[in-house]
PDB file of all heavy atoms in Angstrom:
ATOM      1  N   VAL A 227       2.098   0.593  -4.274  1.00 98.00           N
ATOM      2  CA  VAL A 227       2.956   0.271  -3.120  1.00 98.00           C
ATOM      3  C   VAL A 227       3.998   1.371  -2.983  1.00 98.00           C
ATOM      4  O   VAL A 227       4.164   1.848  -1.839  1.00 98.00           O
ATOM      5  CB  VAL A 227       3.470  -1.135  -3.141  1.00 98.00           C
ATOM      6  CG1 VAL A 227       4.599  -1.290  -2.004  1.00 98.00           C
ATOM      7  CG2 VAL A 227       2.402  -2.119  -3.010  1.00 98.00           C
ATOM      8  N   ASP A 228       4.680   1.615  -4.031  1.00 98.00           N
ATOM      9  CA  ASP A 228       5.777   2.578  -4.087  1.00 98.00           C
ATOM     10  C   ASP A 228       5.175   3.980  -3.641  1.00 98.00           C
ATOM     11  O   ASP A 228       5.966   4.740  -2.943  1.00 98.00           O
ATOM     12  CB  ASP A 228       6.526   2.633  -5.392  1.00 98.00           C
ATOM     13  CG  ASP A 228       7.298   1.403  -5.701  1.00 98.00           C
ATOM     14  OD1 ASP A 228       7.626   0.747  -4.712  1.00 98.00           O
ATOM     15  OD2 ASP A 228       7.669   1.111  -6.851  1.00 98.00           O
ATOM     16  N   LEU A 229       4.074   4.337  -4.168  1.00 98.00           N
ATOM     17  CA  LEU A 229       3.477   5.600  -3.814  1.00 98.00           C
ATOM     18  C   LEU A 229       3.137   5.660  -2.327  1.00 98.00           C
ATOM     19  O   LEU A 229       3.471   6.708  -1.610  1.00 98.00           O
ATOM     20  CB  LEU A 229       2.181   5.869  -4.596  1.00 98.00           C
ATOM     21  CG  LEU A 229       2.382   6.233  -6.032  1.00 98.00           C
ATOM     22  CD1 LEU A 229       1.120   6.155  -6.782  1.00 98.00           C
ATOM     23  CD2 LEU A 229       3.003   7.666  -6.151  1.00 98.00           C
ATOM     24  N   LEU A 230       2.657   4.541  -1.766  1.00 98.00           N
ATOM     25  CA  LEU A 230       2.550   4.640  -0.255  1.00 98.00           C
ATOM     26  C   LEU A 230       3.719   4.708   0.456  1.00 98.00           C
ATOM     27  O   LEU A 230       3.720   5.440   1.484  1.00 98.00           O
ATOM     28  CB  LEU A 230       1.649   3.419   0.020  1.00 98.00           C
ATOM     29  CG  LEU A 230       0.232   3.205  -0.229  1.00 98.00           C
ATOM     30  CD1 LEU A 230      -0.308   1.883   0.185  1.00 98.00           C
ATOM     31  CD2 LEU A 230      -0.584   4.445   0.354  1.00 98.00           C
ATOM     32  N   LEU A 231       4.710   4.026   0.124  1.00 98.00           N
ATOM     33  CA  LEU A 231       6.064   4.081   0.822  1.00 98.00           C
ATOM     34  C   LEU A 231       6.715   5.417   0.799  1.00 98.00           C
ATOM     35  O   LEU A 231       7.248   5.929   1.732  1.00 98.00           O
ATOM     36  CB  LEU A 231       6.986   3.007   0.293  1.00 98.00           C
ATOM     37  CG  LEU A 231       6.543   1.494   0.406  1.00 98.00           C
ATOM     38  CD1 LEU A 231       7.526   0.638  -0.293  1.00 98.00           C
ATOM     39  CD2 LEU A 231       6.547   1.142   1.896  1.00 98.00           C
ATOM     40  N   GLU A 232       6.431   6.133  -0.351  1.00 97.00           N
ATOM     41  CA  GLU A 232       7.065   7.520  -0.488  1.00 97.00           C
ATOM     42  C   GLU A 232       6.293   8.461   0.424  1.00 97.00           C
ATOM     43  O   GLU A 232       6.862   9.431   0.784  1.00 97.00           O
ATOM     44  CB  GLU A 232       6.868   8.008  -1.925  1.00 97.00           C
ATOM     45  CG  GLU A 232       7.784   7.285  -2.968  1.00 97.00           C
ATOM     46  CD  GLU A 232       7.464   7.643  -4.409  1.00 97.00           C
ATOM     47  OE1 GLU A 232       6.674   8.632  -4.565  1.00 97.00           O
ATOM     48  OE2 GLU A 232       7.975   6.972  -5.253  1.00 97.00           O
ATOM     49  N   THR A 233       4.895   8.175   0.738  1.00 97.00           N
ATOM     50  CA  THR A 233       4.195   9.244   1.296  1.00 97.00           C
ATOM     51  C   THR A 233       3.897   8.964   2.890  1.00 97.00           C
ATOM     52  O   THR A 233       3.710   9.868   3.640  1.00 97.00           O
ATOM     53  CB  THR A 233       2.820   9.425   0.625  1.00 97.00           C
ATOM     54  OG1 THR A 233       3.209   9.625  -0.791  1.00 97.00           O
ATOM     55  CG2 THR A 233       2.004  10.592   1.154  1.00 97.00           C
ATOM     56  N   TYR A 234       3.732   7.613   3.082  1.00 97.00           N
ATOM     57  CA  TYR A 234       3.338   7.281   4.561  1.00 97.00           C
ATOM     58  C   TYR A 234       4.384   6.381   5.195  1.00 97.00           C
ATOM     59  O   TYR A 234       5.206   5.772   4.536  1.00 97.00           O
ATOM     60  CB  TYR A 234       2.056   6.421   4.400  1.00 97.00           C
ATOM     61  CG  TYR A 234       0.881   7.200   3.885  1.00 97.00           C
ATOM     62  CD1 TYR A 234       0.565   7.116   2.523  1.00 97.00           C
ATOM     63  CD2 TYR A 234       0.159   7.991   4.690  1.00 97.00           C
ATOM     64  CE1 TYR A 234      -0.632   7.798   2.047  1.00 97.00           C
ATOM     65  CE2 TYR A 234      -1.067   8.707   4.192  1.00 97.00           C
ATOM     66  CZ  TYR A 234      -1.296   8.612   2.942  1.00 97.00           C
ATOM     67  OH  TYR A 234      -2.440   9.296   2.429  1.00 97.00           O
ATOM     68  N   ASP A 235       4.427   6.489   6.501  1.00 96.00           N
ATOM     69  CA  ASP A 235       5.340   5.619   7.275  1.00 96.00           C
ATOM     70  C   ASP A 235       4.673   4.245   7.468  1.00 96.00           C
ATOM     71  O   ASP A 235       4.011   4.023   8.416  1.00 96.00           O
ATOM     72  CB  ASP A 235       5.505   6.313   8.625  1.00 96.00           C
ATOM     73  CG  ASP A 235       6.549   5.592   9.502  1.00 96.00           C
ATOM     74  OD1 ASP A 235       7.373   4.782   8.915  1.00 96.00           O
ATOM     75  OD2 ASP A 235       6.482   5.752  10.705  1.00 96.00           O
ATOM     76  N   VAL A 236       4.992   3.428   6.495  1.00 97.00           N
ATOM     77  CA  VAL A 236       4.474   1.962   6.386  1.00 97.00           C
ATOM     78  C   VAL A 236       5.507   1.145   5.785  1.00 97.00           C
ATOM     79  O   VAL A 236       6.233   1.514   5.081  1.00 97.00           O
ATOM     80  CB  VAL A 236       3.126   2.033   5.621  1.00 97.00           C
ATOM     81  CG1 VAL A 236       3.311   2.423   4.123  1.00 97.00           C
ATOM     82  CG2 VAL A 236       2.456   0.642   5.730  1.00 97.00           C
ATOM     83  N   ASP A 237       5.357  -0.181   6.292  1.00 97.00           N
ATOM     84  CA  ASP A 237       6.437  -1.086   5.821  1.00 97.00           C
ATOM     85  C   ASP A 237       5.880  -1.679   4.480  1.00 97.00           C
ATOM     86  O   ASP A 237       4.686  -1.611   4.188  1.00 97.00           O
ATOM     87  CB  ASP A 237       6.746  -2.199   6.724  1.00 97.00           C
ATOM     88  CG  ASP A 237       5.486  -3.076   7.110  1.00 97.00           C
ATOM     89  OD1 ASP A 237       5.225  -3.978   6.380  1.00 97.00           O
ATOM     90  OD2 ASP A 237       4.861  -2.614   8.224  1.00 97.00           O
ATOM     91  N   ARG A 238       6.750  -2.154   3.692  1.00 98.00           N
ATOM     92  CA  ARG A 238       6.307  -2.737   2.251  1.00 98.00           C
ATOM     93  C   ARG A 238       5.244  -3.855   2.444  1.00 98.00           C
ATOM     94  O   ARG A 238       4.382  -3.872   1.624  1.00 98.00           O
ATOM     95  CB  ARG A 238       7.572  -3.294   1.482  1.00 98.00           C
ATOM     96  CG  ARG A 238       7.220  -3.812   0.168  1.00 98.00           C
ATOM     97  CD  ARG A 238       8.350  -3.984  -0.721  1.00 98.00           C
ATOM     98  NE  ARG A 238       8.958  -2.754  -1.283  1.00 98.00           N
ATOM     99  CZ  ARG A 238       8.573  -2.035  -2.268  1.00 98.00           C
ATOM    100  NH1 ARG A 238       7.513  -2.517  -2.916  1.00 98.00           N
ATOM    101  NH2 ARG A 238       9.142  -0.966  -2.639  1.00 98.00           N
ATOM    102  N   GLU A 239       5.429  -4.751   3.324  1.00 98.00           N
ATOM    103  CA  GLU A 239       4.460  -5.902   3.434  1.00 98.00           C
ATOM    104  C   GLU A 239       3.046  -5.368   3.714  1.00 98.00           C
ATOM    105  O   GLU A 239       2.067  -5.773   3.119  1.00 98.00           O
ATOM    106  CB  GLU A 239       4.899  -6.817   4.593  1.00 98.00           C
ATOM    107  CG  GLU A 239       4.012  -8.038   4.797  1.00 98.00           C
ATOM    108  CD  GLU A 239       4.554  -8.954   5.879  1.00 98.00           C
ATOM    109  OE1 GLU A 239       5.663  -9.071   6.047  1.00 98.00           O
ATOM    110  OE2 GLU A 239       3.594  -9.444   6.625  1.00 98.00           O
ATOM    111  N   THR A 240       2.928  -4.504   4.638  1.00 97.00           N
ATOM    112  CA  THR A 240       1.641  -3.885   4.941  1.00 97.00           C
ATOM    113  C   THR A 240       0.999  -3.090   3.775  1.00 97.00           C
ATOM    114  O   THR A 240      -0.147  -3.218   3.447  1.00 97.00           O
ATOM    115  CB  THR A 240       1.663  -2.984   6.231  1.00 97.00           C
ATOM    116  OG1 THR A 240       2.136  -3.680   7.371  1.00 97.00           O
ATOM    117  CG2 THR A 240       0.336  -2.330   6.569  1.00 97.00           C
ATOM    118  N   ALA A 241       1.870  -2.207   3.169  1.00 98.00           N
ATOM    119  CA  ALA A 241       1.423  -1.527   1.973  1.00 98.00           C
ATOM    120  C   ALA A 241       0.977  -2.547   0.820  1.00 98.00           C
ATOM    121  O   ALA A 241      -0.098  -2.281   0.243  1.00 98.00           O
ATOM    122  CB  ALA A 241       2.546  -0.668   1.524  1.00 98.00           C
ATOM    123  N   ALA A 242       1.709  -3.615   0.614  1.00 98.00           N
ATOM    124  CA  ALA A 242       1.321  -4.485  -0.439  1.00 98.00           C
ATOM    125  C   ALA A 242       0.056  -5.258  -0.160  1.00 98.00           C
ATOM    126  O   ALA A 242      -0.703  -5.413  -1.038  1.00 98.00           O
ATOM    127  CB  ALA A 242       2.474  -5.489  -0.546  1.00 98.00           C
ATOM    128  N   ARG A 243      -0.132  -5.556   1.127  1.00 98.00           N
ATOM    129  CA  ARG A 243      -1.376  -6.251   1.414  1.00 98.00           C
ATOM    130  C   ARG A 243      -2.573  -5.282   1.301  1.00 98.00           C
ATOM    131  O   ARG A 243      -3.666  -5.661   0.759  1.00 98.00           O
ATOM    132  CB  ARG A 243      -1.300  -6.595   2.983  1.00 98.00           C
ATOM    133  CG  ARG A 243      -2.421  -7.526   3.415  1.00 98.00           C
ATOM    134  CD  ARG A 243      -2.326  -8.057   4.875  1.00 98.00           C
ATOM    135  NE  ARG A 243      -1.985  -7.019   5.834  1.00 98.00           N
ATOM    136  CZ  ARG A 243      -0.775  -6.865   6.477  1.00 98.00           C
ATOM    137  NH1 ARG A 243       0.219  -7.770   6.225  1.00 98.00           N
ATOM    138  NH2 ARG A 243      -0.600  -5.920   7.295  1.00 98.00           N
ATOM    139  N   ASP A 244      -2.445  -4.061   1.788  1.00 97.00           N
ATOM    140  CA  ASP A 244      -3.504  -3.130   1.661  1.00 97.00           C
ATOM    141  C   ASP A 244      -3.710  -2.710   0.149  1.00 97.00           C
ATOM    142  O   ASP A 244      -4.973  -2.587  -0.183  1.00 97.00           O
ATOM    143  CB  ASP A 244      -3.226  -1.794   2.435  1.00 97.00           C
ATOM    144  CG  ASP A 244      -3.083  -1.950   3.946  1.00 97.00           C
ATOM    145  OD1 ASP A 244      -3.573  -3.145   4.434  1.00 97.00           O
ATOM    146  OD2 ASP A 244      -2.679  -1.103   4.694  1.00 97.00           O
ATOM    147  N   VAL A 245      -2.798  -2.573  -0.598  1.00 98.00           N
ATOM    148  CA  VAL A 245      -2.931  -2.325  -2.023  1.00 98.00           C
ATOM    149  C   VAL A 245      -3.624  -3.503  -2.725  1.00 98.00           C
ATOM    150  O   VAL A 245      -4.432  -3.287  -3.583  1.00 98.00           O
ATOM    151  CB  VAL A 245      -1.523  -1.998  -2.735  1.00 98.00           C
ATOM    152  CG1 VAL A 245      -1.632  -2.107  -4.183  1.00 98.00           C
ATOM    153  CG2 VAL A 245      -1.116  -0.544  -2.311  1.00 98.00           C
ATOM    154  N   ALA A 246      -3.259  -4.656  -2.470  1.00 98.00           N
ATOM    155  CA  ALA A 246      -3.921  -5.808  -3.021  1.00 98.00           C
ATOM    156  C   ALA A 246      -5.355  -5.739  -2.799  1.00 98.00           C
ATOM    157  O   ALA A 246      -6.213  -6.101  -3.628  1.00 98.00           O
ATOM    158  CB  ALA A 246      -3.313  -7.133  -2.527  1.00 98.00           C
ATOM    159  N   ALA A 247      -5.744  -5.535  -1.533  1.00 97.00           N
ATOM    160  CA  ALA A 247      -7.177  -5.398  -1.101  1.00 97.00           C
ATOM    161  C   ALA A 247      -7.866  -4.290  -1.800  1.00 97.00           C
ATOM    162  O   ALA A 247      -9.087  -4.383  -2.244  1.00 97.00           O
ATOM    163  CB  ALA A 247      -7.370  -5.303   0.433  1.00 97.00           C
ATOM    164  N   LEU A 248      -7.288  -3.166  -1.962  1.00 97.00           N
ATOM    165  CA  LEU A 248      -7.812  -1.978  -2.632  1.00 97.00           C
ATOM    166  C   LEU A 248      -8.039  -2.232  -4.058  1.00 97.00           C
ATOM    167  O   LEU A 248      -9.138  -1.945  -4.640  1.00 97.00           O
ATOM    168  CB  LEU A 248      -6.899  -0.736  -2.388  1.00 97.00           C
ATOM    169  CG  LEU A 248      -7.322   0.529  -3.071  1.00 97.00           C
ATOM    170  CD1 LEU A 248      -8.687   1.104  -2.529  1.00 97.00           C
ATOM    171  CD2 LEU A 248      -6.314   1.574  -3.080  1.00 97.00           C
ATOM    172  N   CYS A 249      -7.086  -2.892  -4.830  1.00 97.00           N
ATOM    173  CA  CYS A 249      -7.283  -3.137  -6.180  1.00 97.00           C
ATOM    174  C   CYS A 249      -8.364  -4.150  -6.407  1.00 97.00           C
ATOM    175  O   CYS A 249      -9.110  -3.990  -7.423  1.00 97.00           O
ATOM    176  CB  CYS A 249      -5.912  -3.599  -6.787  1.00 97.00           C
ATOM    177  SG  CYS A 249      -4.625  -2.329  -6.908  1.00 97.00           S
ATOM    178  N   ALA A 250      -8.385  -5.192  -5.565  1.00 97.00           N
ATOM    179  CA  ALA A 250      -9.545  -6.114  -5.726  1.00 97.00           C
ATOM    180  C   ALA A 250     -10.838  -5.360  -5.548  1.00 97.00           C
ATOM    181  O   ALA A 250     -11.847  -5.708  -6.276  1.00 97.00           O
ATOM    182  CB  ALA A 250      -9.442  -7.185  -4.654  1.00 97.00           C
ATOM    183  N   GLN A 251     -10.897  -4.461  -4.582  1.00 94.00           N
ATOM    184  CA  GLN A 251     -12.257  -3.763  -4.362  1.00 94.00           C
ATOM    185  C   GLN A 251     -12.535  -2.840  -5.581  1.00 94.00           C
ATOM    186  O   GLN A 251     -13.624  -2.802  -6.138  1.00 94.00           O
ATOM    187  CB  GLN A 251     -12.088  -2.803  -3.140  1.00 94.00           C
ATOM    188  CG  GLN A 251     -12.230  -3.661  -1.968  1.00 94.00           C
ATOM    189  CD  GLN A 251     -12.026  -2.836  -0.663  1.00 94.00           C
ATOM    190  OE1 GLN A 251     -11.505  -1.602  -0.721  1.00 94.00           O
ATOM    191  NE2 GLN A 251     -12.322  -3.378   0.572  1.00 94.00           N
ATOM    192  N   TRP A 252     -11.589  -2.151  -6.104  1.00 95.00           N
ATOM    193  CA  TRP A 252     -11.828  -1.325  -7.316  1.00 95.00           C
ATOM    194  C   TRP A 252     -12.225  -2.056  -8.416  1.00 95.00           C
ATOM    195  O   TRP A 252     -13.088  -1.607  -9.145  1.00 95.00           O
ATOM    196  CB  TRP A 252     -10.505  -0.505  -7.624  1.00 95.00           C
ATOM    197  CG  TRP A 252     -10.145   0.624  -6.675  1.00 95.00           C
ATOM    198  CD1 TRP A 252     -10.943   1.076  -5.627  1.00 95.00           C
ATOM    199  CD2 TRP A 252      -9.111   1.518  -6.815  1.00 95.00           C
ATOM    200  NE1 TRP A 252     -10.394   2.178  -5.048  1.00 95.00           N
ATOM    201  CE2 TRP A 252      -9.222   2.515  -5.747  1.00 95.00           C
ATOM    202  CE3 TRP A 252      -7.933   1.565  -7.586  1.00 95.00           C
ATOM    203  CZ2 TRP A 252      -8.227   3.423  -5.405  1.00 95.00           C
ATOM    204  CZ3 TRP A 252      -6.985   2.557  -7.356  1.00 95.00           C
ATOM    205  CH2 TRP A 252      -7.134   3.490  -6.245  1.00 95.00           C
TER     206      TRP A 252
END
């Protein structure tokens, strides 16, 4: 989440939701 926030224009809630889905897929 922190990496996404440093690099992309995204809010924490959206980043956290996307990261949770990505980690589950991985």
Side-chain angles (χ1 to χ4, degrees):
V227 169
D228 290 341
L229 287 166
L230 286 178
L231 293 174
E232 291 172 8
T233 306
Y234 296 96
D235 183 22
V236 63
D237 61 88
R238 181 170 284 281
E239 182 180 322
T240 301
R243 185 177 53 247
D244 291 350
V245 162
L248 179 66
C249 288
Q251 288 173 344
W252 284 358

